[in-house]
Amino acid sequence: MFSKIVYYSPYERPFYFILLGVALIPLIIQLLRGNRMMWYQNILTLTFLWLSFSGPNARQGIALILYVLWQTVLVYAYFKYRQQRNKSSVFYVAVALAILPLFILKLFPFLANQTMLLEHNPQLRFIPMTIGFLGISYLTFKAVQMIMEIRDGVIKEYSVGRYIQFLLFFPTISSGPIDRYRRFEKDLLHPPSKETYVEMLSSGLNMIFLGFLYKFILGNLLGTQLLPRVQDFALQRENLFLGLLGTMYVYTFYLFFDFAGYSLFAVGVSKLMGYDTPINFNKPFLSHNIKEFWNRWHMSLSFWFRDYVYMRLMFTLMKKKVFKSRVVASNVGYFVLFLVMGFWHGLTWYYIVYGLYHATLICLTDAWIRFKRKHKKQLPSNMWTKGLSIVLTFHAVAFSFLIFSGFLDTLLKTIF
């Protein structure tokens, strides 16, 4: 059977923060003077990429280098082509080639396990190791974004150097947030004023310390101490309901504090470097409905899928008049969107069910919003109804995370 490759974020190691703090001092001093030392930032980037992708991770480092070369040549070639012609077929080929390494990485383990391919060809187990590295998904999102915006004509100039810096921006390389090229390029070319940077510096430090609380204290307590206990409790048949309920709550808060903590580190370090990287979380558990939740949870990923998958699919469906009803087209778009998101997480039943579940919730939410508009005067709207909507949304989301966790798969295999 194919064993899953496990990647570890550099932010998992406390010593990483000590090195980072010392290394950032010269950059911070110059930014306080209104200057950006690009030569030093480049050295900093290479140094911390080397720390993350050397030693036991050296194979990942080689894969990263080959991947960046692949995407750089691909985007450059498409940019040059787009200056003269604009055939849709070439655009789709370029997008497919940008996705290809990630597609192979995601699909190969599934095919290998299903077909027992590795039993007869054990040497093939090195394929994912050759092309896989920490952060490949997020770099792929950046590359696809570039190709789409070049096609749209919103990116009119292409600098190989700036594009590579965009791909390899080390604070966000492993798990985002997913920045936009034009926003990043603006920060790259125009360092913040002294007054603006002082505010960024204060905000960045606050985010980093809050990240320590989220990831290393609350996340560690929930994930290391509480989660295994409630899961063991749930595996006892007589405690099944309470155990599942406890697992649902604990895993939901663990997932939030762990990922939000990492995102705070990434955005905080970005701010120390003078880059206003977008935040990833904005009090998601205070959402009134599932659509609002996705505007608050893992925001850079949500907005990426919204802008580059859902909106473009909707445009095509409406332009070609595939469906007469905009509501039907929208619902189809939601199911395609969340199925793609589910497949991106992995080719297992619980990721796919997770995607279908959220698509269903959003379609129902849209239907409820349309119903409320028609019966606005008849339906109450006060602090109690708003509070109830928050509670219901939270539990709908928490149940989806129970599915996402894969624990139900473990439970079913244990019981049956």
Side-chain angles (χ1 to χ4, degrees):
M1 297 292 286
F2 183 85
S3 58
K4 184 179 180 181
I5 303 173
V6 179
Y7 303 124
Y8 294 98
S9 164
Y11 294 118
E12 301 286 344
R13 298 170 289 179
F15 185 63
Y16 182 86
F17 290 92
I18 298 175
L19 292 176
L20 189 59
V22 174
L24 284 175
I25 291 174
L27 200 66
I28 291 172
I29 291 173
Q30 287 301 311
L31 282 168
L32 286 171
R33 296 175 178 175
N35 302 318
R36 187 186 295 286
M37 291 194 302
M38 283 309 307
W39 66 269
Y40 184 75
Q41 180 179 311
N42 292 335
I43 292 175
L44 206 63
T45 296
L46 292 174
T47 300
F48 281 90
L49 288 177
W50 178 81
L51 288 173
S52 298
F53 297 102
S54 63
N57 297 322
R59 192 185 294 272
Q60 288 189 53
I62 296 172
L64 173 64
I65 293 170
L66 295 175
Y67 179 89
V68 171
L69 288 173
W70 169 267
Q71 297 292 6
T72 301
V73 171
L74 176 63
V75 173
Y76 177 79
Y78 182 72
F79 178 80
K80 288 296 185 182
Y81 168 84
R82 182 65 179 77
Q83 304 306 301
Q84 301 174 354
R85 299 177 184 177
N86 187 26
K87 287 186 178 180
S88 296
S89 58
V90 176
F91 163 72
Y92 292 123
V93 169
V95 170
L97 290 175
I99 297 173
L100 183 61
L102 179 62
F103 180 78
I104 294 173
L105 187 68
K106 294 287 185 180
L107 189 64
F108 183 82
F110 175 78
L111 292 178
N113 285 335
Q114 295 299 313
T115 61
M116 302 299 178
L117 183 65
L118 295 180
E119 288 188 4
H120 304 289
N121 303 279
Q123 69 276 10
L124 294 180
R125 71 182 186 274
F126 293 110
I127 290 179
M129 298 180 185
T130 304
I131 64 174
F133 59 89
L134 180 67
I136 185 173
S137 291
Y138 296 91
L139 267 64
T140 300
F141 293 142
K142 289 182 175 182
V144 172
Q145 171 205 145
M146 283 289 293
I147 292 172
M148 288 186 172
E149 293 196 347
I150 288 172
R151 188 221 189 181
D152 293 343
V154 295
I155 294 179
K156 302 184 183 302
E157 296 181 4
Y158 174 72
S159 165
V160 172
R162 291 199 291 270
Y163 177 60
I164 292 175
Q165 287 171 323
F166 172 62
L167 285 180
L168 295 180
F169 188 58
F170 76 89
T172 64
I173 192 171
S174 56
S175 295
I178 307 166
D179 207 347
R180 302 296 173 97
Y181 177 75
R182 285 177 293 159
R183 198 221 60 76
F184 177 85
E185 185 183 44
K186 183 179 178 181
D187 282 356
L188 180 72
L189 297 177
H190 306 286
S193 65
K194 180 180 178 180
E195 293 75 16
T196 301
Y197 181 67
V198 169
E199 294 179 3
M200 294 178 69
L201 187 60
S202 175
S203 175
L205 290 172
N206 286 334
M207 286 183 170
I208 291 171
F209 282 112
L210 185 60
F212 281 122
L213 172 64
Y214 276 21
K215 187 168 181 65
F216 293 126
I217 298 178
L218 297 176
N220 184 65
L221 175 65
L222 291 165
T224 306
Q225 303 298 322
L226 292 181
L227 188 58
R229 295 182 183 182
V230 293
Q231 288 179 335
D232 289 341
F233 188 70
L235 291 173
Q236 303 170 25
R237 292 196 178 190
E238 63 273 16
N239 303 321
L240 182 60
F241 176 74
L242 289 178
L244 278 177
L245 200 62
T247 300
M248 181 180 78
Y249 288 130
V250 172
Y251 182 78
T252 295
F253 285 111
Y254 158 70
L255 187 64
F256 169 72
F257 285 118
D258 184 75
F259 198 9
Y262 164 82
S263 295
L264 285 167
F265 291 147
V267 176
V269 173
S270 299
K271 286 184 178 293
L272 298 188
M273 296 177 64
Y275 293 84
D276 198 16
T277 296
I279 61 171
N280 240 355
F281 295 89
N282 180 24
K283 302 176 183 176
F285 297 142
L286 295 180
S287 304
H288 291 85
N289 58 56
I290 201 68
K291 293 187 77 171
E292 184 183 350
F293 170 80
W294 281 108
N295 286 328
R296 292 168 172 260
W297 175 273
H298 205 342
M299 294 157 60
S300 65
L301 179 69
S302 299
F303 297 159
W304 191 94
F305 273 102
R306 178 197 66 191
D307 295 343
Y308 298 106
V309 178
Y310 176 77
M311 295 302 296
R312 290 167 187 270
L313 176 61
M314 280 294 294
F315 176 79
T316 300
L317 293 177
M318 298 306 296
K319 182 180 179 181
K320 296 184 179 297
K321 298 180 180 180
V322 178
F323 301 103
K324 294 181 180 179
S325 170
R326 186 176 181 85
V327 172
V328 173
S330 178
N331 290 343
V332 169
Y334 285 135
F335 273 92
V336 171
L337 170 67
F338 280 98
L339 272 176
V340 170
M341 193 179 292
F343 283 124
W344 167 65
H345 280 106
L347 294 177
T348 58
W349 71 263
Y350 45 87
Y351 289 141
I352 296 168
V353 170
Y354 168 82
L356 292 172
Y357 174 81
H358 270 281
T360 303
L361 286 181
I362 285 195
C363 291
L364 291 174
T365 299
D366 268 355
W368 172 245
I369 291 173
R370 291 193 299 271
F371 179 82
K372 283 203 306 181
R373 286 173 182 167
K374 291 181 180 180
H375 303 83
K376 189 174 182 180
K377 294 181 179 180
Q378 290 83 7
L379 294 173
S381 178
N382 52 52
M383 61 178 292
W384 298 106
T385 58
K386 291 178 180 178
L388 178 61
S389 67
I390 291 174
V391 172
L392 291 176
T393 301
F394 168 77
H395 282 85
V397 168
F399 181 69
S400 78
F401 287 152
L402 177 63
I403 298 171
F404 179 85
S405 70
F407 180 69
L408 293 179
D409 186 61
T410 302
L411 185 66
L412 290 172
K413 290 177 179 177
T414 302
I415 294 177
F416 300 105

